[in-house]
Amino acid sequence: MTPPCRVFQVSQLPAEIQVNNGKRRKGGKIDLSACELLSMVQYDCLIEKPDQNNSTVQCWPVQRWFRRCEDQKGKFMVETTMWEERPDPEPPRDGSQS
């Protein structure tokens, strides 16, 4: 079983990534906005009548955003969907969007 996920405000994400397994990350402070920006599209689908064969299925795209950061132990991924969608997010430093 996976451990429970910590819940915190989106504004706390830059501070939260400074810690891994309760210990401060080595190699200095991680600048989340400087990490590589990646994206993925998933789909949220609804089967109108699941008990019937050939029922209509409707799907909607869900865009998810991630940052690939690095500390002294190597690279790690952080989902940043809510952080990227906050009002006036900082633009990526390398000019890329995915």
Side-chain angles (χ1 to χ4, degrees):
M1 178 188 288
T2 60
C5 293
R6 288 184 19 83
V7 177
F8 50 86
Q9 296 292 319
V10 68
S11 61
Q12 295 174 306
L13 183 60
E16 290 289 329
I17 67 161
Q18 306 306 320
V19 178
N20 183 28
N21 294 326
K23 296 181 182 176
R24 191 132 186 97
R25 289 189 185 275
K26 295 183 179 183
K29 185 175 180 181
I30 305 290
D31 178 2
L32 188 58
S33 63
C35 297
E36 180 183 9
L37 179 63
L38 304 166
S39 69
M40 171 175 72
V41 176
Q42 292 183 307
Y43 292 87
D44 183 19
C45 298
L46 174 68
I47 303 172
E48 287 187 13
K49 298 177 183 174
D51 55 333
Q52 294 180 4
N53 290 340
N54 301 326
S55 178
T56 303
V57 177
Q58 293 182 337
C59 296
W60 298 268
V62 177
Q63 181 78 45
R64 294 179 68 190
W65 296 96
F66 300 84
R67 293 283 178 150
R68 184 178 0 218
C69 301
E70 190 168 2
D71 64 8
Q72 284 186 344
K73 289 186 174 183
K75 295 183 179 192
F76 62 95
M77 297 280 284
V78 179
E79 182 173 0
T80 59
T81 301
M82 295 298 292
W83 188 75
E84 304 296 344
E85 294 173 353
R86 71 195 188 286
D88 299 322
E90 293 178 33
R93 290 187 181 186
D94 64 2
S96 68
Q97 286 296 312
S98 59

